[in-house]
Amino acid sequence: YSATKTHQEHLGHAFAAATGSDVVSLRYHNVYGPRMPRNTPYAGVASIVRSACEAGRSPRVFEDGRQRRDFIHVADVSLANRLALTAPGPVGGSYNIATGRPTTILEMAQAVCAGVGDGSIHPTVTGEYRIGDVRHITASPERAQRALGFRAQIDAPTGLHEFATAPMRVAL
């Protein structure tokens, strides 16, 4: 997955160099928010956790739950897209669209579980691991802030609390 993403960026930037175009790559981190798909293998981890809670099951958290991710609200992703599209002048390059403030998988799961239902469901830390999972994925959004004026507006605790009861999209 990551190799194909990197390859896409390289192709885009090679095209820009060859044609004098302005190509921007936005690297979205763990996106969550209203209308996210649920119950699909392509749903993000936050959607998977929420689906388990809504079904009355404790969401499974792999390893020790202390894996770090940068959870970014879909409204902030929308803001980043808007800024990239309306930037005055060329801004070509690759930008991390992230908050810059990592959250553990367990913290995320606890926040979502707390907002779903009566609060009786809690995540289960399994100690299992999945081959290919990366322990920590964090990002610096500083370059996006300098070039695009992007700064995430929604912190994970606030956004995940809202996400726990936001409308979801059923996968077709």
Side-chain angles (χ1 to χ4, degrees), residues 21-45:
S21 300
D22 189 33
V23 172
V24 174
S25 300
L26 300 180
R27 298 172 180 158
Y28 308 138
H29 282 258
N30 285 73
V31 181
Y32 70 94
R35 308 220 189 306
M36 296 292 294
R38 65 166 108 197
N39 298 325
T40 77
Y42 305 105
V45 66

Side-chain angles (χ1 to χ4, degrees), residues 27 49 60 62 66 86 133 135 137 147-148 154:
R27 298 172 180 158
V49 166
R60 296 173 58 216
F62 292 104
R66 292 189 293 221
T86 60
D133 270 0
R135 178 80 174 152
I137 302 173
L148 306 174
I154 302 171

Side-chain angles (χ1 to χ4, degrees), residues 35-121:
R35 308 220 189 306
M36 296 292 294
R38 65 166 108 197
N39 298 325
T40 77
Y42 305 105
V45 66
S47 290
I48 292 167
V49 166
R50 179 173 161 177
S51 292
C53 292
E54 287 178 335
R57 297 185 318 268
S58 293
R60 296 173 58 216
V61 174
F62 292 104
E63 297 182 33
D64 59 4
R66 292 189 293 221
Q67 311 88 294
R68 290 188 305 268
R69 299 291 185 268
D70 195 320
F71 290 95
I72 184 151
H73 196 278
V74 69
D76 285 326
V77 169
S78 177
L79 171 64
N81 282 305
R82 197 166 51 253
L83 291 170
L85 287 168
T86 60
V91 293
S94 299
Y95 301 95
N96 291 321
I97 304 306
T99 66
R101 296 177 301 275
T103 301
T104 70
I105 298 294
L106 182 58
E107 290 168 336
M108 176 277 300
Q110 289 168 332
V112 172
C113 286
V116 176
D118 63 5
S120 63
I121 297 174

